[in-house]
Amino acid sequence: MSKLPARIRLADAAFALFDERGYEQTTVDDIAERAGLGRTTFFRNYRSKEDVIFPDHDRLLALVRDRLATSSHSTALVAVSDAVRLVLLHYVDEGDLARRRYALTSKVAALRDREIASVGRYQRLFREFIADWMGGPTESASLRAELMAAAVVAAHNHVLRRWLRGESSDPVAEVDEAMREVLALFRAPGSSPQPGGGTTVVAFRTGQDIDTLLPSLRRLVEDGAEH
């Protein structure tokens, strides 16, 4: 039977050592030794011990970008849903590795901060795509794109965390339903609001205080009423 690829052997060794000794107490040399490989082999596969923990976000972001780029104006929201599903499936395919990562990042603040920064890269990519789909670079369109991108990422992360905690037996079906709910909150550019009027408010967490947000939200509602 052939040996596992060096990248997988290093990841298995790293997580075993993190469990035994703790993240901070484990060195690159410890990981390479446990995997039966040399230090040079480690750095051919990973830039640091932190990189062993996280998925290849650069590759995942490229896949998301490629899927979004294949869409037309009329299929943009389908592409967003497909891209979200693509990211979720990557974690699901990782299986136990994804769950071990979740447990570790929940305990180590520095790793949690890095994961949050990675999430921001996905949100920025979705925001830029959605803003382009919406058209003109107005303040109203910019805010709608920001709100929608935040909701898209929040929906994905909600389903992912449920799966990681063992609370979801069919995360793909859940994320598809979550995306239907998210996209229903936003009408396509140029479309008319539904009969009956009213105001829909989307809640999300932001670093801005409420006094800063309220004027922009008020203008967004007023712009929607004018259309």
Side-chain angles (χ1 to χ4, degrees), residues 49-151:
K49 71 175 182 178
E50 289 85 356
D51 282 346
V52 180
I53 299 165
F54 295 102
D56 188 344
H57 286 300
D58 289 339
R59 186 179 71 83
L60 265 177
L61 284 161
L63 292 174
V64 169
R65 191 176 292 109
D66 288 346
R67 176 61 189 95
L68 297 177
T70 63
S71 67
S72 64
H73 189 271
S74 62
T75 62
L77 296 185
V78 174
V80 170
S81 293
D82 285 351
V84 168
R85 189 185 309 112
L86 183 155
V87 176
L88 180 74
L89 282 171
H90 174 84
Y91 285 93
V92 172
D93 288 345
E94 286 186 321
D96 186 57
L97 176 60
R99 292 191 169 97
R100 293 169 79 181
R101 179 192 303 121
Y102 177 66
L104 184 61
T105 55
S106 298
K107 294 184 291 187
V108 181
L111 298 178
R112 189 162 58 249
D113 290 344
R114 175 166 168 171
E115 186 70 358
I116 290 170
S118 298
V119 169
R121 296 174 66 191
Y122 291 90
Q123 184 166 325
R124 182 165 58 252
L125 178 57
F126 282 119
R127 183 189 69 227
E128 291 170 354
F129 174 77
I130 293 166
D132 184 64
W133 170 67
M134 287 184 167
T138 64
E139 183 177 349
S140 174
S142 177
L143 179 56
R144 282 197 290 269
E146 189 74 65
L147 289 166
M148 190 169 178

Side-chain angles (χ1 to χ4, degrees), residues 20-21 30 35 87 129 137 159 167-168 171 173 181 196 198 204 208:
E20 293 170 16
R21 305 179 185 178
D30 293 335
V87 176
F129 174 77
V159 174
E167 299 169 359
S168 172
E181 293 191 24
F204 69 104
Q208 294 178 291

